[in-house]
Amino acid sequence: MGKTKTFVSYDHSEDVHYKRLLQAWDANPEFDFDFDSRGPDVAINSSDAPVIKAALVKKMKEATHLLVLVGEKSANSSWMEWEIDRAKMDDTKLKLAAVKLGKSNTTPSGLLGVGTSWATSFERDRIVEALRSATNRY
């Protein structure tokens, strides 16, 4: 598999340290994982949301994969729900992978029953394997 371009969906208020770990891993030239994780800091229903959504869609269309970091509040995040749903649209069709950051975290419904590839833990090799196994057959 060549280098992937992965859009990362995560709760920006709770799980940003995991994004920073991904960035540190990405700095390693042997790590075949490229990502963009620019995210919104406004409410999904605010007047600024359409501009942010357009920017996110542009990044998603440049990506091959969506990696969802399932944190404690992910299942209740309107932005994450939107990103997951948007990733599955015909003009985007990203391959889906996810990792739970805690065993008891609730999976966002958009990842269920759609063949999401799961990393068994937040470790570099597990995430790379989940991305390699990911499909867009939903």
Side-chain angles (χ1 to χ4, degrees):
M1 177 170 113
K3 200 161 182 148
T4 62
K5 181 143 179 97
T6 303
F7 185 93
V8 180
S9 179
Y10 64 99
D11 184 300
H12 292 250
S13 66
E14 299 291 317
D15 301 319
V16 70
H17 54 284
Y18 290 98
K19 180 199 94 166
R20 290 186 183 124
L21 282 171
L22 290 172
Q23 288 172 316
W25 292 342
D26 191 45
N28 180 341
E30 295 179 21
F31 190 47
D32 62 352
F33 181 55
D34 184 26
F35 68 95
D36 186 277
S37 60
R38 289 175 227 167
D41 57 358
V42 300
I44 197 165
N45 59 357
S46 78
S47 60
D48 294 331
V51 173
I52 293 168
K53 285 180 178 179
L56 291 174
V57 168
K58 181 178 183 214
K59 287 295 174 190
M60 291 173 110
K61 287 182 175 183
E62 294 170 356
T64 57
H65 293 70
L66 175 72
L67 174 63
V68 181
L69 306 182
V70 180
E72 190 175 326
K73 296 183 178 181
S74 299
N76 297 319
S77 169
S78 297
W79 275 110
M80 290 181 73
E81 177 183 357
W82 178 84
E83 289 171 343
I84 293 165
D85 290 344
R86 188 64 184 88
K88 294 186 284 187
M89 289 187 174
D90 285 339
D91 65 338
T92 314
K93 273 247 192 241
L94 298 180
K95 295 176 181 179
L96 301 177
V99 60
K100 281 192 175 189
L101 304 176
K103 289 183 182 188
S104 63
N105 293 350
T106 302
T107 301
S109 61
L111 296 176
L112 298 173
V114 294
T116 302
S117 176
W118 287 90
T120 55
S121 61
F122 191 85
E123 297 173 25
R124 177 189 170 271
D125 292 345
R126 301 290 175 266
I127 291 172
V128 168
E129 183 55 37
L131 290 167
R132 285 188 178 134
S133 301
T135 68
N136 55 4
R137 295 187 188 124
Y138 30 80

